[in-house]
RNA sequence: GUGGUUGUAGCUCAAUCGGUUAGAGCGCCGGAUUGUGGUUCCGGAGGUUGCGGGUUCGAUUCCCGUCAGCCACCCCA
């Protein structure tokens, strides 16, 4: 019986890893572009970190166990508690607003489905210490720009935007007491779905006015500010922050991505303001990204009271969407130059030349076992090499090599000494790390 | 955790009503080709039909269990 990867866990074969890297590098590029700094924490934490505030539900889906020291521990299911702890520990000393991002691998023990595994990579971007709507717009713009970075347009991806403050005003306007807001959120989330009836019954049994629920259903049809004012004239006043967020996004030129959608609830209980999700425009896949404002969470976790907001974006659904839209990168050549030896006597020189080229930062391969030149060129071809260098007795006599462009088939004889310079001139990149720069101390 | 559905080669699929040695394409390996790759041609390897049990003279096919994938719940990183 062959042992396979655990259910919900992925093997990343080279082609899969290339896709993963494509996504994670796009995440990092855009986050850095927004001035965010990267951080990380431990993948294993005390269970208490998650049981205190993250809601009871998450605890039932933890990868948790007792370690050899008798500690109750869990693989991290989300990053926010770790972030809150790290920020709290240094909150007084950090310049606000704090812009931090992380790309942790997260774990949840639940039955897997398409787009939902037991492990995934998730970009977390958080903006801490900024209470105004400009911060909300900044964080949403970051999420949208990642979509654009990956080649997705407003025809592929939509932002659905809502605001807890506005929703609370709506619930108040229709006459639902605060004690029933939790169920009402569930109702909104289920609008138009099969389980709607169950939640509705629960609300009615709790004494919710039937006409209030009927009125609440209109939330589903609201798509713009006029629609909001018509349906809920009193609550519309609470829409100011959200209007400012949308206005800011429009000023950035990202307005075409954004839809007002008050049925966006988000499961996490700690959201206090703007909440949003990113979906594929056809609505076939699960949410790509979800986030919002959580102004009281840091204080609730025992830290300073700091306004905060952020989002999480997983790699799994994003990968599916990119695959469907044909936006995944073609496998790029893995080597620049493949060296071929004509006879075994040429091998020492091939090895020396290979090493020289590698020292220059070229990606170089040569055959590990001696075969015919045809076979070696076949290998060069299958390795995606751009150039082949053929070295035989005749070439050695003249101190030259045959340089062959494997794309065009053109071949010429060039001197060994000038090979690095010639290759550089043909546009091959230097894979070496840039030479060290004096460290910048601009923060001081 | 609950319910439904599907499992045949690395991948995509075929195999008549339950009937001989489970096939094809792609991919992989070798050869045609001992100083020149891709294309082409020839050949080869690769299967306990997910696994276990049952019915039957005989099971890829029918039944049960189990594991895994998918879908819907639950819930939503």
């Amino acid at each position: 019986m062959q042992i396979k990867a655990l259910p919900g866990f992925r093997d990343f074969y080279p082609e899969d890893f290339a896709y993963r890297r494509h996504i994670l590098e796009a995440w990092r590029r855009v986050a850095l572009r927004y001035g965010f700094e990267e951080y990380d924490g431990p993948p294993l934490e005390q269970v208490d970190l998650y049981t205190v505030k993250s809601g009871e539900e998450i605890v039932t889906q933890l990868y948790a166990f007792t370690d050899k020291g008798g500690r109750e521990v869990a693989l991290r299911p989300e990053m926010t508690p770790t972030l809150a702890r790290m920020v709290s520990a240094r909150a007084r000393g950090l310049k606000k607003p704090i812009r931090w991002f992380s790309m942790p691998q997260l774990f949840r023990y639940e039955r897997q489905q398409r787009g939902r595994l037991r492990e995934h990579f998730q970009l977390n971007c958080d903006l801490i210490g900024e209470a105004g709507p400009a911060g909300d717009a900044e964080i949403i713009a970051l999420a949208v720009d990642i979509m654009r970075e990956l080649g997705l347009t407003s025809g592929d991806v939509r932002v659905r935007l809502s605001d807890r403050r506005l929703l609370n005003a709506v619930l108040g306007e229709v006459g639902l007491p605060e004690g029933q807001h939790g169920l009402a959120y569930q109702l909104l989330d289920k609008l138009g779905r099969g389980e709607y009836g169950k939640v509705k019954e629960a609300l009615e049994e709790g004494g919710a006015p039937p006409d209030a629920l009927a009125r609440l259903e209109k939330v589903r049809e609201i798509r713009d500010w006029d629609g909001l004012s018509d349906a809920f004239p009193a609550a519309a006043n609470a829409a100011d922050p959200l209007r400012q967020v949308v206005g800011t996004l429009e000023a950035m030129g990202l307005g075409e991505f954004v839809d007002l959608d008050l049925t966006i609830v988000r499961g996490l209980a700690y959201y206090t303001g703007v909440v949003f999700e990113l979906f594929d425009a056809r609505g076939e896949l699960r949410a790509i990204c979800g986030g919002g404002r959580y102004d009281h969470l840091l204080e609730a976790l025992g830290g300073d009271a700091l306004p905060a907001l952020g989002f999480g974006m997983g790699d799994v659904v994003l990968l599916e969407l990119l695959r469907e839209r044909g936006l995944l990168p073609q496998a790029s050549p893995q080597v620049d130059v493949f060296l071929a030896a004509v006879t075994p006597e040429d091998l020492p020189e091939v090895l020396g030349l290979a090493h020289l080229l590698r020292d220059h930062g070229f990606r170089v391969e040569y055959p590990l076992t001696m075969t015919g030149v045809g076979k070696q060129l076949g290998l060069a071809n299958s390795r995606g090499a751009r150039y082949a260098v053929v070295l035989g007795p005749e070439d050695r006599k003249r101190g030259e090599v045959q340089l062959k462009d494997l794309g065009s088939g053109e071949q010429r004889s060039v001197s060994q000494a000038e090979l690095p310079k010639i290759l550089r001139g043909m546009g091959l990149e230097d894979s070496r790390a840039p030479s060290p720069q004096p460290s910048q101390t601009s923060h001081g």
Side-chain angles (χ1 to χ4, degrees), chain A residues 79-391:
Chain A
M79 200 58 181
T80 307
T82 299
L83 170 70
R85 185 191 64 213
M86 290 172 65
V87 169
S88 294
R90 296 192 181 178
R92 303 278 162 79
L94 291 167
K95 179 72 180 166
K96 265 69 84 176
I98 299 160
R99 296 167 180 252
W100 281 8
F101 79 98
S102 191
M103 308 192 298
Q105 190 174 23
L106 303 178
F107 305 87
R108 295 195 77 178
Y109 194 92
E110 62 179 346
R111 179 163 297 203
Q112 69 156 321
Q113 277 182 50
R114 185 181 183 208
R116 263 180 108 178
L117 307 175
R118 287 181 169 178
E119 144 277 318
H120 73 151
F121 291 90
Q122 188 189 63
L123 171 67
N124 276 251
C125 295
D126 290 273
L127 184 56
I128 298 166
E130 173 55 55
D136 298 79
E138 182 82 342
I139 212 82
I140 294 167
L142 172 43
V144 171
D145 274 343
I146 288 169
M147 300 297 105
R148 296 176 58 234
E149 179 81 1
L150 289 166
L152 295 161
T153 68
S154 60
D156 300 311
V157 180
R158 308 299 309 169
V159 179
R160 296 191 197 161
L161 192 59
S162 181
D163 190 327
R164 283 282 169 93
R165 292 161 293 191
L166 172 57
L167 267 181
N168 285 336
V170 167
L171 297 181
E173 182 170 350
V174 301
L176 280 174
E178 272 196 33
Q180 295 192 317
H181 282 195
L183 270 176
Y185 280 137
Q186 280 191 46
L187 188 79
L188 291 175
D189 190 43
K190 299 270 190 295
L191 274 176
R193 307 217 321 248
E195 301 302 305
Y196 177 76
K198 277 188 193 172
V199 183
K200 192 174 179 180
E201 280 174 26
L203 270 168
E204 285 168 345
E205 285 170 16
D211 61 319
L213 299 184
R215 208 176 152 197
L216 201 52
E217 290 180 23
K218 290 184 179 168
V219 163
R220 193 181 172 197
E221 292 147 24
I222 295 174
R223 285 289 174 269
D224 52 39
W225 306 120
D226 288 344
L228 175 64
S229 302
D230 291 346
F232 305 101
N237 293 326
D240 282 350
L242 195 56
R243 283 179 186 246
Q244 290 181 53
V245 171
V246 173
T248 306
L249 287 168
E250 284 170 348
M252 292 173 170
L254 300 177
E256 59 180 348
F257 280 90
V258 180
D259 297 324
L260 180 67
D261 186 343
L262 299 188
T263 67
I264 291 298
V265 173
R266 301 293 301 154
L268 296 174
Y270 51 64
Y271 286 117
T272 58
V274 169
V275 288
F276 68 96
E277 295 188 343
L278 267 60
F279 281 89
D280 72 288
R282 296 177 196 169
E284 293 166 349
L285 305 174
R286 295 169 188 283
I288 298 164
C289 167
R293 178 168 284 282
Y294 50 93
D295 282 345
H296 305 317
L297 182 65
L298 268 65
E299 188 176 17
L301 288 173
D304 286 0
L306 282 173
L309 76 156
F311 68 78
M313 180 186 294
D315 69 316
V316 181
V317 175
L318 194 49
L319 180 63
E320 285 173 2
L321 180 58
L322 293 175
R323 194 188 302 276
E324 281 187 6
R325 301 297 155 87
L327 290 171
L328 289 173
Q330 298 290 319
S332 56
Q334 293 166 354
V335 300
D336 299 314
V337 183
F338 195 99
L339 300 175
V342 176
T343 71
E345 289 70 36
D346 305 315
L347 274 174
E349 214 146 323
V350 161
L351 292 173
L353 201 50
H355 200 250
L356 174 76
L357 293 178
R358 283 173 174 168
D359 274 353
H360 276 79
F362 298 109
R363 300 173 296 177
V364 177
E365 274 191 57
Y366 54 86
L368 295 173
T369 56
M370 191 61 201
T371 61
V373 174
K375 184 136 270 187
Q376 295 180 55
L377 287 178
L379 191 53
N381 196 57
S382 68
R383 299 295 289 153
R386 287 177 59 184
Y387 297 99
V389 165
V390 181
L391 184 60

Side-chain angles (χ1 to χ4, degrees), chain A residues 1-6 11 13:
Chain A
M1 180 65 188
Q2 200 176 22
I3 296 177
K4 296 187 291 189
L6 287 166
D11 289 323
Y13 288 87

